[in-house]
Amino acid sequence: MMPAAAIRNLLLRRLLQLLLMAWAIGTITFVLVRSLPGDMAYRIAAERYGDDAITTAAAASVRQELGLDVPAWQHYLNWLLELVQLNLGNSLVSGDPVIHNLQHQLSYTLALVFAGLLVSLLLAIPIGLLAGFKANRGADHLSLLASTLIRAQPVFSVGLLLIFLLAMNIQWLPVAGFGELKHLILPALTLGICMAAVSSRIIRNSTVDVTRSAYYQFARVKGLSRWHTFVHHGVRNISVPVVAYLGIQTVMLIEGVIMIESLFAWPGIGHALSHAIFSRDVPMIQGAALLMGMLFVVINALVDAICLWLDPRLQLSASTSNNASPTNSTGKKTAQEASL
Amino acid sequence: MKTYLLVAALAATVLLANWLTSDGEDIPSSDAELVISGPFEMVSQDPSEAGYVFTRMQVLETLVDVSSHGELQAGLATDWQHSDDFTEWRFQIRPNVSFHDGTPMTLASVVNSLRIARQKPGPLKGLPIESIDTSAATNELVITLSEPYRPMAAVLANYSTAILAPASYQGDDHHVEQVIATGPYQVAELSLPHRLQTQRFDGYWGAKPAIASADYITGHRSETRALMLQNGQADIVYNLDPASMDMLSHAEGVHVSSVAIPRTIAIKLNTALPLLNSVAGRRALSLAIDRQGIAMGILRVPGSAANQLFGPAMGDWYNPNLTQPQRDLTSANQLLDQLGFNWPAGSQFRLFEGKPLQLDMVTYANRPELITIATAIQAQWADVGVQVNVLVDNSSAIPAGHHSGELQTALMARNFASVPDTLSVMLKDFADANGGDWGPMNWDYPPLFALLQQMKTEQDPGLFHQQAQQAAAMLAAQLPMIPVTFYQQQTGISDRVKGFRFDPYERSFHISDMQLNAEPQP
């Protein structure tokens, strides 16, 4: 039965965290960006007019247009006032509403992340389960070797190898670009393979833990088939740490896809954020950081909710300790529980 | 049940990915006949900000055009004249020109565009213009200046002065909402900052282009662009790095074009600093640079070592009589010894006031070769006992450092032809001791300042040539900036493209002059 009350409480707590986090992230980002060395007006002018046209006159024009001489605290108060009205302001470089830019860029990043996650699950689940069931045997060693080799590569070189293989040699896919589903395949494959290199090991370890546990062994002893034991006592318990890890991995991915977006000319938020930082586009940086922070909370809340659903015992620990994260559970059962 | 859930989740993810990448706002797939990829992003549609992409794609046009040899030629203005003192300029506007929305280009719309351009950052803004007006009697555009300005026509070749229809501008700030211009190609779809799709404009005043549609796609990395070309996803890719050039030169179906452009990699110097305030000190540093090594080892373009600021592509301003400096550590060390910068035995660097003799060198990452060259110079100057701290920053650190006076040295790739008359750059950067943002810093050399004042009103082309040669020789002798290498633009082109030529002035891809073979060449 779904622990609805526990999930509701969890989501309410996360909503409160979300509001506090929005203020904190915006404030910290503002202070950090304002503390960076270099004249903001010159930086913005360089991004707007290009290397060949950046001059003191252009910077002066930008300073006047954007009111950069106004004290920083006034800019901060304006931002806070606009945030309360759910307005993230306009980009200092393009002049477009930040929310419009983020909407466009985030949609591409989310598409990339979800597609990458899908590829990673399709690869990691069978490989991880196989390695877990055949622990310390040939398949496990092979998967460890492949995982180590891939993880030791920068994501950039994995991407280049895939380009050479799939776009250059057999010419099935475009090298880079966006606009069609086929453009998504190579970056998603790159991301998915890099993610699967780690998540397959998490699944493998979780599988080993579960299959060697007393309750799992007991289920087999009492006469259940391998399949029934796996379905009834394995899947849920293996899933809890894996789901928790995937949640963390997804959040890291949203922040860390800069290299992939750059390599495959994918117009996502990571690449846009790096541009915004170089050009000191404060509203854009604040908006992007805010959105990523919110995503972090939302994804974590979802992961915790899924973990609660997968393992209802976690509501007990959640109710006894508000601070305890449900995802910290090992997900192990006792032999008595398995026999019930 | 779980299987159904899994299948449903997979289907939802695929649908989500599909929806996110193909919703209404996004771009259709590139079915353009010609695809060009470069590193630059378009931050807006305003000519002052992204005009260099729109002019290259032949969407925007300017009153004055430039030949590949740097001569000014008719654009949207068929002809022009100036008063003897270069303070009044008259332009005859091309008749029967239509904007992309079908409205005719009138004298009033030209004046409107130029007046708006003058309010925005760009070369027009800083000029001593009294008025931009029309002459009802002669149906001409008349620009009146408060003081002589010889390169006025060349300024009107800059992308920021492109002519747009009045309907392009919106609001009190005249921001460009839609690019409605006069070029042979018009905007079909625009996805800022990464893609511009154009299609042939049937109402174009000139010859009808053979290629019906062309796309510009931002490819952030040089290797990605090179692979896009090899894969057939792009037909022309430019700003290639040496490694990508090597790869493409061995690939089938593509070739590489290398063109000298009016851009020079040079070191900007703050000549108020002790080591840099004498010609001998600057010469010593120049002699310590291995330009041939940099040209061969880093840029892989033999013959691009620079002995002067203005390269062979710069007409009057390139002085062929100047000798090529060779690396000469003995002479460099002698000069520094004579200046009193001692190099005690056992010390890694020379000493100045008891401390290691050191200089900060700012450079920027937008042109990746600059960082490698900066580190090479760091090692080469260490050979004469000068410590260099390389600071990789944004390009804006150079004009900002010039303005604040804190800049010591900067390695940069300076475009001397954004206004295709070098006198314009000289007047901006070299006309007084303050120097320009990208010119010398605290360099007081009255002979050159006087020469430039003379050139402002020189009417005799022969004399002007002599004066330009003299100016180039002065810069080579005085070294207020140290030239390192001339720039070569490296472009990869598919063999199916016929009629490609790279514009050294980086104003146009000349798409309208190209044709495509039906099939790529084997």
Side-chain angles (χ1 to χ4, degrees), chain A:
Chain A
M1 185 183 159
M2 179 87 100
I7 291 178
R8 192 178 58 240
N9 286 339
L10 174 85
L11 294 180
L12 279 173
R13 278 205 307 278
R14 291 300 157 93
L15 184 66
L16 190 66
Q17 282 178 11
L18 195 70
L19 295 174
L20 278 173
M21 186 224 56
W23 169 77
I25 285 186
T27 305
I28 292 170
T29 312
F30 183 86
V31 172
L32 288 178
V33 176
R34 282 281 178 164
S35 311
L36 287 173
D39 189 321
M40 271 183 70
Y42 279 92
R43 303 266 168 175
I44 295 164
E47 189 72 8
R48 275 194 191 180
Y49 304 110
D51 293 341
D52 289 336
I54 162 71
T55 59
T56 297
S61 164
V62 165
R63 196 187 311 280
Q64 190 187 6
E65 179 198 326
L66 301 176
L68 295 179
D69 286 331
V70 172
W73 62 267
Q74 277 189 28
H75 278 288
Y76 175 72
L77 282 184
N78 287 342
W79 169 78
L80 209 56
L81 205 65
E82 284 180 341
L83 184 67
V84 171
Q85 299 164 41
L86 300 178
N87 179 4
L88 294 177
N90 291 344
S91 161
L92 300 182
V93 173
S94 68
D96 292 336
V98 166
I99 192 69
H100 179 261
N101 286 348
L102 289 177
Q103 199 181 355
H104 178 78
Q105 291 150 358
L106 188 72
S107 65
Y108 279 96
T109 297
L110 282 180
L112 177 58
V113 166
F114 278 115
L117 198 62
L118 177 66
V119 172
S120 88
L121 288 175
L122 288 174
L123 291 172
I125 291 173
I127 293 172
L129 288 177
L130 181 68
F133 281 113
K134 307 281 181 188
N136 300 320
R137 290 161 67 183
D140 185 24
H141 293 313
L142 198 64
S143 114
L144 176 65
L145 182 70
S147 168
T148 310
L149 279 177
I150 292 169
R151 203 67 200 101
Q153 303 295 315
V155 64
F156 180 73
S157 64
V158 175
L160 272 179
L161 285 173
L162 287 175
I163 289 176
F164 279 116
L165 181 68
L166 297 175
M168 306 307 296
N169 282 354
I170 48 180
Q171 303 210 335
W172 282 355
L173 297 166
V175 173
F178 60 101
E180 283 183 273
L181 201 56
K182 66 182 178 185
H183 290 118
L184 181 63
I185 298 174
L186 263 183
L189 210 53
T190 307
L191 198 57
I193 288 173
C194 292
M195 287 164 79
V198 181
S199 52
S200 65
R201 300 309 297 169
I202 302 281
I203 294 172
R204 180 261 180 207
N205 290 342
S206 186
T207 307
V208 170
D209 282 348
V210 168
T211 52
R212 286 182 183 170
S213 67
Y215 68 83
Y216 199 89
Q217 297 293 333
F218 183 77
R220 290 281 295 129
V221 169
K222 78 177 180 184
L224 286 181
S225 68
R226 283 179 189 276
W227 175 248
H228 275 97
T229 309
F230 175 68
V231 169
H232 292 292
H233 301 294
V235 172
R236 273 201 176 206
N237 291 298
I238 292 171
S239 300
V240 174
V242 173
V243 168
Y245 175 74
L246 287 178
I248 295 165
Q249 199 180 32
T250 309
V251 171
M252 285 163 58
L253 277 173
I254 292 174
E255 297 163 355
V257 290
I258 295 176
M259 280 311 292
I260 289 184
E261 288 178 356
S262 177
L263 178 64
F264 293 101
W266 189 255
I269 203 165
H271 186 74
L273 183 61
S274 69
H275 267 257
I277 291 170
F278 284 126
S279 62
R280 304 281 198 278
D281 191 348
V282 182
M284 192 67 197
I285 300 169
Q286 280 179 306
L290 200 66
L291 206 64
M292 285 181 173
M294 286 166 70
L295 270 173
F296 190 90
V297 174
V298 168
I299 290 175
N300 264 316
L302 279 176
V303 166
D304 287 354
I306 292 171
C307 286
L308 274 175
W309 173 65
L310 284 170
D311 188 353
R313 293 168 305 155
L314 294 172
Q315 63 186 301
L316 292 173
S317 59
S319 61
T320 51
S321 166
N322 280 344
N323 296 324
S325 167
T327 57
N328 290 337
S329 165
T330 57
K332 289 182 181 173
K333 285 182 175 181
T334 62
Q336 287 85 349
E337 283 171 321
S339 66
L340 292 175

Side-chain angles (χ1 to χ4, degrees), chain A residues 39 42-44 46-58 61-62 64 93-94 96 100 103-108 110-111 114-115 118 121-122 125 156 160 163-164 166-168 171-184 231 235-236 259 261-268 271 275 278-279 309-310, chain B residues 2 5-6 9-10 13-14 16-18 20-23 25-30 40-41 43-44 48-50 52 119-121 125 159 191-195 217-221 223-224 226-233 247 263 364 366-367 393-397 399-404 413-415 418 428 437-438 506:
Chain A
D39 189 321
Y42 279 92
R43 303 266 168 175
I44 295 164
E47 189 72 8
R48 275 194 191 180
Y49 304 110
D51 293 341
D52 289 336
I54 162 71
T55 59
T56 297
S61 164
V62 165
Q64 190 187 6
V93 173
S94 68
D96 292 336
H100 179 261
Q103 199 181 355
H104 178 78
Q105 291 150 358
L106 188 72
S107 65
Y108 279 96
L110 282 180
F114 278 115
L118 177 66
L121 288 175
L122 288 174
I125 291 173
F156 180 73
L160 272 179
I163 289 176
F164 279 116
L166 297 175
M168 306 307 296
Q171 303 210 335
W172 282 355
L173 297 166
V175 173
F178 60 101
E180 283 183 273
L181 201 56
K182 66 182 178 185
H183 290 118
L184 181 63
V231 169
V235 172
R236 273 201 176 206
M259 280 311 292
E261 288 178 356
S262 177
L263 178 64
F264 293 101
W266 189 255
H271 186 74
H275 267 257
F278 284 126
S279 62
W309 173 65
L310 284 170
Chain B
K2 286 188 173 64
L5 279 176
L6 182 66
L10 294 183
T13 309
V14 170
L16 179 69
N18 194 25
L20 287 169
T21 52
S22 59
D23 63 24
E25 185 198 339
D26 292 334
I27 332 90
S29 61
S30 178
F40 304 111
E41 293 188 349
V43 293
S44 76
S48 69
E49 295 176 355
Y52 56 91
Q119 293 165 18
K120 299 183 177 183
K125 190 173 187 179
Y159 54 78
S191 177
L192 295 176
H194 288 108
R195 183 180 283 178
I217 299 174
T218 303
H220 301 118
R221 302 188 63 86
E223 52 271 60
T224 303
L227 291 170
M228 285 169 74
L229 177 67
Q230 267 192 282
N231 173 265
Q233 210 187 331
M247 184 176 74
R263 189 184 284 276
Y364 48 99
N366 280 9
R367 294 184 181 271
D393 205 319
N394 179 289
S395 61
S396 68
H402 180 100
H403 184 63
S404 68
R414 174 75 164 125
N415 178 7
S418 57
K428 201 168 160 190
D437 290 314
W438 294 84
E506 302 181 80

Side-chain angles (χ1 to χ4, degrees), chain B residues 352-368:
Chain B
F352 175 67
E353 295 178 345
K355 292 178 183 170
L357 181 60
Q358 58 176 328
L359 291 169
D360 290 342
M361 179 177 281
V362 174
T363 192
Y364 48 99
N366 280 9
R367 294 184 181 271

Side-chain angles (χ1 to χ4, degrees), chain B residues 83-395:
Chain B
S83 60
D84 287 348
D85 63 354
F86 296 96
T87 56
E88 186 181 280
W89 291 77
R90 290 177 171 270
F91 294 84
Q92 289 80 53
I93 304 303
R94 188 177 293 280
N96 305 319
V97 174
S98 292
F99 287 117
H100 295 149
D101 62 356
T103 57
M105 183 186 79
T106 62
L107 206 47
S109 54
V110 171
V111 169
N112 181 55
S113 266
L114 294 180
R115 284 180 178 167
I116 292 171
R118 203 188 153 207
Q119 293 165 18
K120 299 183 177 183
L124 207 56
K125 190 173 187 179
L127 299 186
I129 293 174
E130 280 186 344
S131 67
I132 299 174
D133 232 319
T134 57
S135 162
T138 54
N139 201 31
E140 293 170 322
L141 168 74
V142 182
I143 298 179
T144 312
L145 298 114
S146 59
E147 56 184 83
Y149 195 71
R150 196 176 191 278
M152 183 67 233
V155 169
L156 296 182
N158 182 268
Y159 54 78
S160 65
T161 66
I163 306 302
L164 290 174
S168 298
Y169 304 101
Q170 299 286 317
D172 293 339
D173 60 347
H174 304 295
H175 68 270
V176 177
E177 198 67 26
Q178 192 186 355
V179 177
I180 306 169
T182 59
Y185 289 90
Q186 59 184 329
V187 176
E189 189 90 40
L190 181 64
S191 177
L192 295 176
H194 288 108
R195 183 180 283 178
L196 166 64
Q197 293 176 282
T198 69
Q199 63 189 38
R200 187 167 50 208
F201 172 46
D202 291 330
Y204 184 56
W205 57 269
K208 191 177 174 183
I211 293 174
S213 56
D215 281 8
Y216 172 84
I217 299 174
T218 303
H220 301 118
R221 302 188 63 86
S222 172
E223 52 271 60
T224 303
R225 294 195 294 278
L227 291 170
M228 285 169 74
L229 177 67
Q230 267 192 282
N231 173 265
Q233 210 187 331
D235 300 295
I236 297 170
V237 296
Y238 66 102
N239 270 29
L240 294 174
D241 63 3
S244 301
M245 266 163 51
D246 269 3
M247 184 176 74
L248 289 179
S249 61
H250 297 109
E252 287 183 1
V254 300
H255 60 279
V256 176
S257 154
S258 187
V259 174
I261 61 173
R263 189 184 284 276
T264 304
I265 295 178
I267 306 169
K268 178 183 168 88
L269 305 171
N270 182 349
T271 60
L273 297 175
L275 173 60
L276 307 175
N277 64 7
S278 68
V279 177
R282 300 195 293 266
R283 176 151 302 282
L285 293 180
S286 177
L287 286 168
I289 297 174
D290 181 3
R291 292 173 174 80
Q292 284 76 12
I294 290 171
M296 287 292 290
I298 299 175
L299 300 177
R300 301 185 204 178
V301 183
S304 61
N307 60 346
Q308 53 193 301
L309 271 185
F310 306 119
M314 301 197 60
D316 288 335
W317 297 85
Y318 174 70
N319 189 331
N321 301 318
L322 299 175
T323 52
Q324 184 68 47
Q326 297 292 325
R327 191 175 199 218
D328 184 350
L329 291 181
T330 310
S331 302
N333 277 315
Q334 278 172 0
L335 286 168
L336 291 172
D337 289 342
Q338 286 164 12
L339 288 170
F341 296 107
N342 296 320
W343 197 350
S347 171
Q348 196 182 353
F349 299 106
R350 290 173 184 275
L351 299 182
F352 175 67
E353 295 178 345
K355 292 178 183 170
L357 181 60
Q358 58 176 328
L359 291 169
D360 290 342
M361 179 177 281
V362 174
T363 192
Y364 48 99
N366 280 9
R367 294 184 181 271
E369 69 278 4
L370 288 182
I371 299 170
T372 319
I373 294 174
T375 52
I377 291 171
Q378 183 183 45
Q380 290 166 9
W381 284 4
D383 290 344
V384 291
V386 178
Q387 183 180 4
V388 175
N389 307 313
V390 175
L391 311 172
V392 180
D393 205 319
N394 179 289
S395 61

